[in-house]
Amino acid sequence: MPIGNVQPSVRPVSSGRTDADPVAAEATGRHRGTRPRRSRGGARAERFAPYVLVAPAILIIVVLRLYPLLLGVNFSFTGDGERNGTVVGIDNYLELLDDSLFRTALGNVGLLVLLLPVAVAIPGLLATFIYLRVPGHRFYRSVYFFPAVLSPVIVGAIFNLLLAFDGPVNAVLGAVGIGPVDWLGDPDVAMFVVVGVHIWATFGMALVVFLAGFATLDSALLDAARVDGASLLQVIRHVIIPGLSRTIAFVAVTTMVGMLTSMFGLLYVMTSGGPEGSTYLPEYYIWIQQGQMNRPALASAASTVLFVIMLVVGLLQVKLLRRAGGED
Amino acid sequence: MKQRALWSAVLVVGLATAGCGSASDTGSSSGGSTDKLVVWDWKSGEPSAKAYIEKAKADFSAKHPDVTVEFVAQPFDQYYTLLGAAIQSGKGPDVMLFNGGGQIRDRVDALVPLDDYVAEDKQRLAGWDAFTKDGKTYAGPVTLQGHPIYYNKDLYAKAGLDPASPATTWDKFLADCAAIGKVGAKCFALGNKEGAGIQFWLSALGSGVLTAQEYDDWIAGKRDWNSPNVKRVFQLWKDAGDAGLNNDGANSTAMFNDAFALFQSAKAAHVIGLMSDVGHWKDFNEFLTPDKLGVMSAPVVTAGTTPSLAYDGGIGYAVAKWTSDPKLAADLVRSLTSTEALQAFYAEAGAIASDTTIDVSQAGPAAATIVGQLKGGKPALHVALSSKTLDLMGRVSQQLLSGSISVDEAVKQLAASDQAG
């Protein structure tokens, strides 16, 4: 942790500087009174110096992050509407458990975790192809990145048009004799469609990270594998994946965070949580309860649950990153 | 070093003081001084509302020349979220715009009852019920919002039907729809992506299904979800979907504005639309031309019922309880609902205004039919439901269309939600 490191490194430097600058020490001493008291005071100031130096950072975290967090948790134990401000214990949490919509939202979080390997594999594979210089790789490199610069609202609007029941995608399917699919109106399909669009819209960033990872890969290993007659699959399995383990872990972490925190815009534009409530995620649920249902305390309870989930996922991922880092 | 310690201490104290406060504190009152009123709405930024706002401002400044009024147009998507935050902190605008029904009833704790201030307007304006809770009025209605059934006279003629006399019974209506289907158009343009289609359905057709007694009881809060007629409304919804009366993919079609576009492009013969704002006679007039747009009454499903137009106060201005002078703010609400201002709103935005004295004969036969039906109209059924039940109703309506739930189960869930909230 940074705090542990700060203390030893700061103290010698700062005390050394004061010692080496007797003029300055004297100058301050002249205002403060007698010499012995001054040096004792100076020593005390130096003892507190590290705390003072880290104080701004800690204070910002405590006051602007932890304190509001505690307020929110505290607020989640109060009531809404007529019971505004009164303590209701865990009523809000019981209501959440009882709400099938919130359970759907949590189930969808589980689905996102299950789909994570796909979301990591797609940019990984495409980056591999670019790295192996398939024909037109320069063109693909820029094209793949293009969706990453579009806002989720624009992406959502584009796919709303494409995936409309009487839209072009169904027209193409119809032309080859496959019946139309109600992409955004079928509860069994809609969530996968939204996740798919999210992956499409964001994989460019992961692709760039992968390409940066490839830059560190020892090409001699690849050449050696080729000389030994390894197939493409064997090269990927035995050379590229082990060589990129840290990059893969990093992409997995950032993709997971992205899926859990930034799908609101897409959901809002593409499905509004529907059809039949099948595409709810916790953050959308929180927004609905706070903004549409006027239930801020219930929304706080849902936020607290989401926070705990993110905490667990985050800690697991930090562990994963550490382990991947340790492999080297 | 001392200097830094001092600054840090200042920072600590400063941040700690700034951080003090409680999330559930609604008691503190703030809001404006007496020489300035702040209004929040989502209308004043629109070009079509410009004349309306100007007239209202002029009316108000004639009465209170020394008070300035500031309109803050919020994005509608975020409006109730922002308002919720303002209410939670007990600070915010003095006057604010609300949708009638659940949106205002859920928030009356933060509002001032206006009955004493607007007594003179009660006769002139219609639509008060949507802004009333427990016998107290919380906002002055600006527009009326309701759910007429619009039909395309051109498609009727093509299908060999008489455009001047649309069906008055459900059986005849289904027969007409079959004829319309033969000329390649759907019966209903339906957008149920947001789950709003069922609300329009319930309110537009309800008066032909529920008996007068059931209707009034429903509005009064005594809703009998086990009544066969209530179930019939949802059964008809499901039957219409199963019979292919709606456009394909209704659950993924946005009502605003994909469903209305289907009606405007003559791909469907009927649409349950609105009276004001969007999806209304003025929009349809532009595409279909006024003489091809008709408004019909709900077909009679249950013998002995008298169909009526479902409408309520659409939007209205309310006064926040933290305002320093409620009388002054209520005066602004009265200016915002003055005949002159509402006349401008009707003319520019095409809204059916709450003022029943406005002449609409220039606006075409559809608007004239709607205004003619206002006298016998009743509050819309869905407006009486809480936002929570409406949200649930949107979801079960999608399930009914996709066939993943039975009508009995749907009504049971709705009854539980309605009785809980």
Side-chain angles (χ1 to χ4, degrees):
Chain A
M1 291 300 287
I3 301 170
N5 292 338
V6 164
Q7 205 158 350
S9 71
V10 165
R11 208 201 298 231
V13 171
S14 69
S15 56
R17 192 170 53 196
T18 328
D19 288 351
D21 197 1
V23 183
E26 229 162 308
T28 35
R30 234 165 260 146
H31 297 291
R32 308 247 85 219
T34 59
R35 254 157 208 267
R37 278 188 67 193
R38 182 206 64 203
S39 66
R40 267 212 307 278
R44 201 164 56 224
E46 280 152 28
R47 207 164 48 237
F48 286 123
Y51 303 106
V52 171
L53 289 175
V54 297
I58 301 246
L59 277 175
I60 287 174
I61 292 175
V62 169
V63 175
L64 298 180
R65 292 271 164 131
L66 296 181
Y67 180 59
L69 185 73
L70 286 179
L71 277 186
V73 173
N74 178 41
F75 188 49
S76 74
F77 292 107
T78 64
D80 283 313
E82 285 166 11
R83 297 201 292 170
N84 187 13
T86 58
V87 177
V88 298
I90 57 166
D91 275 14
N92 286 324
Y93 291 90
L94 292 179
E95 190 178 340
L96 282 182
L97 270 184
D98 199 40
D99 189 346
S100 64
L101 210 54
F102 189 68
R103 291 202 301 269
T104 310
L106 289 186
N108 281 336
V109 169
L111 183 72
L112 290 183
V113 174
L114 290 181
L115 289 174
L116 180 64
V118 182
V120 176
I122 290 175
L125 260 183
L126 294 173
T128 307
F129 291 145
I130 290 176
Y131 178 69
L132 296 177
R133 301 207 155 73
V134 294
H137 63 275
R138 280 171 206 283
F139 173 70
Y140 287 122
R141 195 167 49 190
S142 47
V143 166
Y144 287 155
F145 189 71
F146 178 63
V149 303
L150 295 176
S151 97
V153 175
I154 294 168
V155 171
I158 292 171
F159 277 90
N160 265 350
L161 290 175
L162 287 177
L163 298 171
F165 195 88
D166 52 359
V169 172
N170 275 338
V172 170
L173 286 182
V176 296
I178 304 172
V181 179
D182 200 356
W183 297 104
L184 298 174
D186 185 336
D188 299 328
V189 178
M191 191 64 203
F192 292 97
V193 172
V194 177
V195 175
V197 172
H198 177 76
I199 292 174
W200 178 85
T202 55
F203 82 90
M205 217 44 107
L207 186 95
V208 170
V209 175
F210 268 117
L211 286 177
F214 273 115
T216 67
L217 198 63
D218 189 354
S219 60
L221 284 176
L222 279 180
D223 293 338
R226 282 207 191 104
V227 169
D228 289 346
S231 69
L232 176 66
L233 279 182
Q234 281 169 324
V235 169
I236 292 177
R237 166 78 187 80
H238 295 289
V239 181
I240 293 181
I241 291 183
L244 288 183
S245 60
R246 295 174 80 169
T247 311
I248 293 172
F250 177 75
V251 170
V253 170
T254 49
T255 307
M256 193 68 237
V257 171
M259 290 213 286
L260 284 178
T261 58
S262 56
M263 276 184 59
F264 180 87
L266 267 190
L267 284 180
Y268 183 80
V269 174
M270 289 182 70
T271 65
S272 314
E276 306 175 22
S278 63
T279 58
Y280 264 74
L281 282 179
E283 35 168 5
Y284 191 78
Y285 182 89
I286 292 164
W287 181 79
I288 288 280
Q289 294 299 341
Q290 150 69 19
Q292 308 302 109
M293 303 292 159
N294 199 23
R295 300 286 312 272
L298 185 68
S300 284
S303 305
T304 307
V305 173
L306 179 62
F307 169 72
V308 170
I309 292 173
M310 295 293 286
L311 198 65
V312 171
V313 171
L315 288 177
L316 282 178
Q317 289 179 331
V318 166
K319 217 173 188 176
L320 181 80
L321 268 183
R322 281 234 183 93
R323 196 183 302 162
E327 267 177 21
D328 271 19
Chain B
M1 199 59 68
K2 278 261 182 265
Q3 198 78 353
R4 269 193 224 176
L6 187 68
W7 278 116
S8 306
V10 170
L11 192 68
V12 175
V13 174
L15 288 177
T17 348
C20 280
S22 159
S24 60
D25 177 22
T26 57
S28 73
S29 88
S30 161
S33 48
T34 47
D35 55 358
K36 185 180 178 189
L37 289 173
V38 176
V39 184
W40 275 17
D41 60 24
W42 61 88
K43 279 279 168 207
S44 57
E46 294 172 12
S48 61
K50 195 162 168 263
Y52 162 65
I53 298 290
E54 273 170 13
K55 292 264 196 240
K57 268 187 177 170
D59 187 74
F60 184 73
S61 66
K63 285 187 237 163
H64 302 278
D66 47 344
V67 180
T68 53
V69 180
E70 184 192 351
F71 282 85
V72 182
Q74 307 280 11
F76 182 64
D77 285 355
Q78 297 297 322
Y79 186 74
Y80 288 106
T81 310
L82 295 169
L83 202 58
I87 289 173
Q88 208 60 48
S89 66
K91 298 173 194 164
D94 303 284
V95 172
M96 47 215 177
L97 188 62
F98 273 101
N99 291 99
Q103 294 291 18
I104 188 166
R105 290 200 184 107
D106 288 351
R107 295 170 175 85
V108 291
D109 292 349
L111 304 176
V112 181
L114 297 180
D115 299 86
D116 297 342
Y117 307 114
V118 298
E120 286 173 44
D121 297 333
K122 286 270 173 171
Q123 281 307 311
R124 181 173 57 88
L125 302 179
W128 293 96
D129 285 353
F131 304 105
T132 302
K133 185 176 181 180
D134 302 332
K136 287 182 187 152
T137 308
Y138 290 93
V142 173
T143 62
L144 299 179
Q145 189 59 286
H147 305 280
I149 307 171
Y150 295 99
Y151 69 99
N152 183 336
K153 290 181 179 172
D154 207 25
L155 278 176
Y156 264 61
K158 270 189 198 150
L161 305 168
D162 179 8
S165 58
T168 53
T169 66
W170 187 252
D171 290 335
K172 171 80 169 51
F173 182 73
L174 289 180
D176 287 359
C177 282
I180 290 163
K182 285 195 184 109
V183 296
K186 291 288 181 182
C187 185
F188 279 110
L190 175 64
N192 200 38
K193 181 174 181 171
E194 309 91 339
I198 184 72
Q199 302 173 14
F200 286 33
W201 181 271
L202 172 66
S203 289
L205 299 178
S207 62
V209 185
L210 304 190
T211 63
Q213 185 62 45
E214 279 175 327
Y215 201 107
D216 295 342
D217 284 351
W218 176 289
I219 298 298
K222 289 175 277 180
R223 292 182 273 280
D224 179 10
W225 289 89
N226 290 318
S227 138
N229 286 340
V230 171
K231 276 187 192 170
R232 179 88 49 83
V233 177
F234 293 92
Q235 186 69 50
L236 290 175
W237 165 265
K238 182 173 163 53
D239 290 349
D242 292 349
L245 299 189
N246 305 323
N247 49 282
D248 296 325
N251 275 349
S252 57
T253 304
M255 175 177 282
F256 307 98
N257 289 309
D258 295 354
F260 295 135
L262 287 173
F263 177 71
Q264 285 164 0
S265 57
K267 288 183 180 136
H270 305 87
V271 73
I272 300 170
L274 294 167
M275 279 160 52
S276 301
D277 297 324
V278 288
H280 64 327
W281 49 273
K282 190 165 188 189
D283 286 355
F284 300 150
N285 274 351
E286 277 175 32
F287 283 86
L288 297 177
T289 69
D291 50 316
K292 285 182 184 152
L293 179 70
V295 171
M296 63 187 280
S297 297
V300 174
V301 179
T302 307
T305 55
T306 314
S308 56
L309 177 69
Y311 79 94
D312 290 278
I315 54 174
Y317 284 98
V319 175
K321 77 170 176 199
W322 54 76
T323 188
S324 45
D325 183 358
K327 167 95 176 60
L328 185 70
D331 268 358
L332 178 58
V333 171
R334 292 199 61 199
S335 293
L336 283 160
T337 53
S338 66
T339 302
E340 268 197 12
L342 291 176
Q343 170 83 43
F345 201 28
Y346 149 75
E348 298 288 324
I352 301 280
S354 60
D355 193 321
T356 49
T357 60
I358 294 174
D359 172 33
V360 295
S361 54
Q362 300 301 309
T369 313
I370 292 170
V371 173
Q373 290 179 354
L374 285 179
K375 273 263 178 292
K378 289 185 177 184
L381 293 173
H382 79 266
V383 177
L385 300 173
S386 69
S387 12
K388 191 179 159 137
T389 305
L390 288 177
D391 185 57
L392 176 68
M393 190 161 80
R395 269 175 283 130
V396 299
S397 74
Q398 294 172 335
Q399 290 173 316
L400 282 172
L401 284 185
S402 73
S404 59
I405 193 176
S406 70
V407 173
D408 284 341
E409 173 60 24
V411 173
K412 203 174 112 193
Q413 284 186 24
L414 290 171
S417 167
D418 187 37
Q419 271 137 28

